[in-house]
Amino acid sequence: MKKGKIFGIGIALALMAIVGLSSLFYVTKDTAYANGVIFEGEAYTVQLPNALTKDSVTNGAVIVKDANGKVVQATLTLDTTAKVLTVENLKAGQYEVIIKKNAYAKASKFVREQSIPLDVIQKVSALKTEADLQAYFKGYLAAENARYQGRGEESTQEFSSAESENSSSDKASGGQSYSTTNNQVEGIEEGDITITDGKYIYTIVDNKIMIVDAKSLKMVKRLTVGKEIYPTHLMLHNELLVVGYTAYVETQKESYYDSKSVTKVAFYNVKDAANPTLVREVGQDGDLTNIRKLGNYLYVVSSKTPNYWMLPENQEVELRPATYDGGKEKLLPVDQIRLLPESNQPSYLMVSAMDISNIKSNEWKTVSFLGNSGQMYMSENAIYIASMNNQFWPTVDIAVDSTERASVPVQSKNETTLYKIAIAKTNIRLATEGKVKGSVLNQFSMDEHNGYIRIATTEGNAWGTDANSKNHLFILDENLKQVGAVHDLAPGERIYSARFIGDKAYLVTFKETDPLFVIDTKDPKAPKVLGELKIPGFSNYLHPIDENHLLGIGYDTEVRMEPGVKEPIVLTKGMKLSLFDVSDLKNPKEKQAVVIGGRGTYSSVQHDHKALFRDPRNHLYGFPVTVYSETDEQDRLKYEGTGAQIYQVTTSGIKLVGNLLEQARPGEQYEDAYNVVQRMLYVEDELYAVSRSKVTSYNGKTYKKQQTLGF
């Protein structure tokens, strides 16, 4: 098979794996088509537009037949509405789920018998040999091929995001003489694209790392890690520059052509920043997803999906993951691969640790987990992986009269499996796992406090006429067993941001207005909502100013009713800063709001917390921003400029102190991506705005432009 064809099929199957191996079902007016695939031991669920009779699952009106047409025993159940049918306890094989006409509670001449093909795939439960590993991936391949070649139609579901954080508020006074990264957890460093040690600025521009003398604003080195290497993460540890990246490797094996992504970490001695020297390079298979540093210990996480779709043509495809040290590849033995409980993805989660106090000789230790990946949160003693398990319910579409058909959209039953990976220096082990309802999309959905893990989720769909979403806050003990929860917040909405400060949790949900919930978690077994504030717009990010004040960063909104549309349309307007006063927990207030620009205005801080500039010495907060305004012409926007803004934020209010916006040139209709500011830094009393094309310095007191160094 040609490389391009292999790649194309691989992408298609990988996308299906992301959705999960649950079924999707579509029935036309005249004919039923289905493509149900589950693993042995899992449940298959069908949603019906019309209710069945309660006894239909026991009187033979609903039956299951095997490939030989023989009726087999299966556990059939209906929910309280009698519209959701669940099929369980089938052994591996091919089946048909048959819903007869007399199964429906309401008879109609347009209701037909439904036949739903269902494949049940055997699942590997333990890994001991390479044959076990092949069997594991062949099971997923069989399931995906059934869907790929089947007649079902894919459906997608939008899931919620949450942001939360365990770090303390910025100090009111004191602070370092140079910028640090806005990390999620205080004391745990995250890789970023621009950093400083107070003397030099290190920033990634395409495939180079620019090293700039901050005082003279002179280029001292353009560091190239490799010809086709594009770094994504930078860190500093004493005189060591840590560079993280993903490389794409193509090799001609003995019997097939192989390609894969490899996570690499390069360590440079930058004692002489003008002449960095490579000390060591280590790595592991997969795409780099996270990098963290706690004291002297570096933790690197990647996700790898092997080329298992090539198995039908070549049984010698390498499925084992590898590690790398000094250019040497080492395949992990199968008995060192841990199979995650309830694994539901054909991918590896790779976790490595190293003591970088002695980078030349200390061991690069890697543990590989098979079966899941997801969003990561790290505390001082554990890495938590939140993996979404999405079971999509197929829809049966049945004619109810001669002119129309019942239309029931695909819904989803989604839950999150949370894995706790204990870390003790370079020792890594799977400690336990637990489950919660709903889904999360980023690391900020989780927080550890006093031995308990708190996690905010959204369950269901928040949009459309059939919105059924609800939001939850769960509290789990050290064994990830639920001890307390707040359920069903803001029905029909989804979580846009969250923040955990001490015993309090702050959640922002949104659909038409922005409710800010204040939740007391002091008693983990009985968390309770203390207060709620509803205002226009929403906050994508919450940052603590002190124990009683939060800065919300998001958007102003407008709600419109359009002709012929039953639901109101919500439009985002300008970027919005909100100062929340939560000193009275039962009565939170928006003390002040500032709106920047109009519709189309955006900032990377809306989705990347590391883009937030903080100078705690002077209560300063800033961010990159590109500004648009609205014109008299409908749906036409005017580009105003791009750059950055700095605000002084105190308990008294929000004040713009530095407008570092470069105005649009005559005739310029949109921003140049290379000139968009990515990060802002300070060193002593100098400010720096860094883009992919240049670094510009400003006086830290007057905010007047001083020098520009073009890259």
Side-chain angles (χ1 to χ4, degrees):
M1 180 181 286
K2 293 183 179 179
K3 178 177 67 174
K5 187 175 181 182
I6 293 174
F7 181 77
I9 294 175
I11 290 295
L13 295 178
L15 288 172
M16 293 177 187
I18 293 171
V19 176
L21 294 180
S22 50
S23 62
L24 291 169
F25 180 51
Y26 176 76
V27 182
T28 69
K29 186 173 182 178
D30 302 313
T31 311
Y33 299 91
N35 196 20
V37 183
I38 58 172
F39 278 116
E40 192 172 13
E42 295 180 344
Y44 179 71
T45 309
V46 181
Q47 177 157 336
L48 306 160
N50 296 336
L52 302 183
T53 62
K54 291 292 184 180
D55 59 353
S56 62
V57 295
T58 58
N59 66 7
V62 179
I63 58 174
V64 179
K65 291 184 177 181
D66 62 17
N68 297 318
K70 181 181 178 181
V71 176
V72 298
Q73 292 296 318
T75 301
L76 305 174
T77 56
L78 291 171
D79 75 337
T80 55
T81 69
K83 291 184 178 181
V84 177
L85 170 67
T86 301
V87 183
E88 297 179 274
N89 296 327
L90 287 173
K91 295 181 179 180
Q94 294 182 320
Y95 300 92
E96 279 188 308
V97 180
I98 298 173
I99 305 172
K100 298 179 181 179
K101 292 173 63 176
N102 65 336
Y104 288 93
K106 184 178 179 181
S108 169
K109 65 179 180 179
F110 298 104
V111 172
R112 304 173 307 279
E113 180 176 295
Q114 306 295 326
S115 177
I116 308 172
L118 173 62
D119 289 341
V120 181
I121 308 295
Q122 188 173 11
K123 190 173 184 179
V124 174
S125 58
L127 297 176
K128 296 181 180 179
T129 66
E130 288 189 47
D132 293 333
L133 197 61
Q134 278 209 359
Y136 179 91
F137 285 105
K138 283 180 178 179
Y140 279 96
L141 185 64
E144 290 168 0
N145 278 337
R147 289 183 57 197
Y148 185 60
Q149 297 169 2
R151 302 171 296 276
E153 292 186 355
E154 297 283 351
S155 293
T156 59
Q157 179 78 32
E158 180 185 6
F159 297 104
S160 64
S161 64
E163 296 178 359
S164 57
E165 188 165 343
N166 191 32
S167 63
S168 61
S169 60
D170 296 309
K171 304 295 183 182
S173 61
Q176 283 190 233
S177 60
Y178 58 88
S179 287
T180 58
T181 301
N182 184 28
N183 299 308
Q184 182 190 6
V185 178
E186 188 174 3
I188 299 180
E189 289 289 323
E190 302 180 23
D192 201 3
I193 57 175
T194 302
I195 56 176
T196 182
D197 58 5
K199 187 175 180 181
Y200 297 97
I201 296 170
Y202 303 82
T203 186
I204 297 170
V205 178
D206 297 333
N207 67 333
K208 292 182 173 60
I209 300 169
M210 305 298 186
I211 305 178
V212 178
D213 186 304
K215 186 175 182 180
S216 65
L217 211 67
K218 301 294 184 183
M219 181 73 68
V220 299
K221 182 67 176 181
R222 288 179 170 86
L223 177 63
T224 302
V225 179
K227 185 178 179 181
E228 297 296 330
I229 301 303
Y230 291 82
T232 54
H233 296 72
L234 300 177
M235 273 185 181
L236 284 164
H237 181 77
N238 299 327
E239 296 174 347
L240 204 63
L241 175 65
V242 182
V243 182
Y245 65 91
T246 300
Y248 298 92
V249 180
E250 297 179 340
T251 55
Q252 179 64 58
K253 299 290 187 180
E254 185 175 338
S255 59
Y256 67 98
Y257 183 87
D258 190 27
S259 62
K260 63 180 179 178
S261 57
V262 176
T263 287
K264 290 289 186 73
V265 181
F267 301 93
Y268 289 88
N269 186 314
V270 289
K271 184 176 183 179
D272 179 3
N275 295 288
T277 55
L278 179 64
V279 180
R280 189 176 176 184
E281 187 174 64
V282 295
Q284 62 203 43
D285 275 350
D287 291 291
L288 175 60
T289 58
N290 281 285
I291 183 169
R292 297 287 190 273
K293 185 173 76 72
L294 176 60
N296 290 330
Y297 297 93
L298 182 72
Y299 300 90
V300 179
V301 180
S302 65
S303 178
K304 171 188 172 61
T305 302
N307 298 327
Y308 64 95
W309 50 80
M310 298 170 61
L311 281 171
E313 296 187 9
N314 194 322
Q315 295 294 309
E316 297 185 15
V317 171
E318 185 57 69
L319 300 173
R320 292 172 294 171
T323 61
Y324 305 84
D325 195 347
K328 296 180 180 179
E329 180 185 68
K330 180 182 178 182
L331 290 167
L332 288 179
V334 175
D335 60 4
Q336 290 185 21
I337 299 172
R338 308 289 184 261
L339 186 62
L340 288 172
E342 300 190 37
S343 59
N344 64 1
Q345 292 181 20
S347 60
Y348 293 99
L349 175 72
M350 309 277 289
V351 183
S352 293
M354 176 185 258
D355 179 353
I356 58 176
S357 61
N358 185 346
I359 198 63
K360 289 185 177 180
S361 60
N362 284 342
E363 183 183 2
W364 173 252
K365 297 179 68 174
T366 302
V367 176
S368 179
F369 302 98
L370 177 59
N372 256 328
S373 61
Q375 300 301 321
M376 172 183 146
Y377 164 79
M378 178 174 163
S379 67
E380 291 187 354
N381 53 29
I383 290 173
Y384 295 89
I385 302 295
S387 180
M388 288 179 291
N389 306 320
N390 302 310
Q391 180 184 359
F392 289 88
W393 297 350
T395 299
V396 176
D397 191 3
I398 303 172
V400 294
D401 58 37
S402 60
T403 59
E404 63 175 320
R405 299 201 311 268
S407 178
V408 179
V410 172
Q411 297 186 21
S412 69
K413 177 184 177 182
N414 59 301
E415 63 182 6
T416 294
T417 299
L418 190 62
Y419 297 99
K420 181 179 181 180
I421 300 171
I423 53 174
K425 297 182 178 180
T426 59
N427 295 317
I428 305 167
R429 66 177 179 85
L430 179 64
T432 187
E433 52 105 9
K435 286 184 178 181
V436 294
K437 292 181 179 180
S439 57
V440 299
L441 284 182
N442 59 47
Q443 66 189 63
F444 296 104
S445 302
M446 296 164 280
D447 172 83
E448 187 183 276
H449 181 66
N450 291 339
Y452 294 91
I453 183 76
R454 303 177 289 191
I455 180 169
T457 69
T458 296
E459 181 183 9
N461 175 31
W463 302 106
T465 56
D466 297 283
N468 61 352
S469 64
K470 44 194 174 181
N471 305 285
H472 316 295
L473 175 66
F474 298 99
I475 302 180
L476 314 178
D477 64 15
E478 62 181 4
N479 297 313
L480 299 189
K481 303 299 181 184
Q482 183 179 318
V483 297
V486 176
H487 293 284
D488 302 341
L489 291 169
E493 302 184 2
R494 73 175 181 88
I495 293 174
Y496 270 68
S497 60
R499 192 76 179 224
F500 297 93
I501 305 173
D503 294 326
K504 305 300 184 293
Y506 302 93
L507 303 183
V508 170
T509 62
F510 178 75
K511 187 171 184 180
E512 294 179 19
T513 59
D514 173 3
L516 170 69
F517 291 97
V518 181
I519 303 173
D520 184 3
T521 66
K522 187 175 183 179
D523 181 357
K525 296 181 180 179
K528 57 184 177 181
V529 176
L530 297 181
E532 178 182 351
L533 170 67
K534 287 192 175 183
I535 55 175
F538 59 87
S539 297
N540 279 322
Y541 177 70
L542 294 172
H543 192 87
I545 302 304
D546 63 14
E547 291 183 357
N548 297 318
H549 294 83
L550 293 166
L551 176 64
I553 303 176
Y555 284 105
D556 192 18
T557 58
E558 176 186 358
V559 180
R560 291 183 187 175
M561 287 300 301
E562 297 289 344
V565 179
K566 294 181 179 180
E567 279 208 344
I569 296 175
V570 181
L571 300 175
T572 57
K573 299 179 70 178
M575 184 174 168
K576 183 180 180 182
L577 308 180
S578 296
L579 179 61
F580 296 110
D581 183 346
V582 292
S583 52
D584 181 356
L585 296 172
K586 295 182 179 180
N587 186 30
K589 298 177 181 178
E590 184 183 46
K591 189 165 187 175
Q592 185 182 352
V594 173
V595 177
I596 305 167
R599 189 157 50 96
T601 299
Y602 71 92
S603 170
S604 53
V605 76
Q606 298 271 16
H607 57 82
D608 183 357
H609 64 289
K610 289 180 281 188
L612 182 68
F613 167 85
R614 302 156 301 118
D615 183 353
R617 303 171 305 173
N618 301 302
H619 311 283
L620 299 180
Y621 298 86
F623 41 80
V625 63
T626 298
V627 178
Y628 282 81
S629 63
E630 298 176 53
T631 66
D632 293 335
E633 299 180 48
Q634 186 178 8
D635 297 327
R636 186 169 180 83
L637 305 177
K638 179 184 178 184
Y639 170 57
E640 299 288 355
T642 188
Q645 290 186 342
I646 298 175
Y647 291 83
Q648 187 175 64
V649 184
T650 66
T651 57
S652 299
I654 303 171
K655 180 183 178 182
L656 176 65
V657 295
N659 189 0
L660 313 184
L661 206 66
E662 294 186 359
Q663 298 298 318
R665 297 186 296 270
E668 194 174 16
Q669 297 182 357
Y670 50 86
E671 68 277 9
D672 180 348
Y674 270 83
N675 289 327
V676 172
V677 173
Q678 294 186 306
R679 292 292 186 268
M680 299 170 63
L681 306 168
Y682 74 85
V683 175
E684 301 293 349
D685 291 327
E686 297 287 308
L687 285 176
Y688 303 89
V690 185
S691 70
R692 293 166 66 193
S693 66
K694 61 191 175 184
V695 55
T696 303
S697 65
Y698 298 84
N699 183 292
K701 295 181 178 179
T702 65
Y703 304 103
K704 289 185 178 180
K705 184 187 293 187
Q706 298 190 143
Q707 299 182 71
T708 297
L709 171 66
F711 294 146

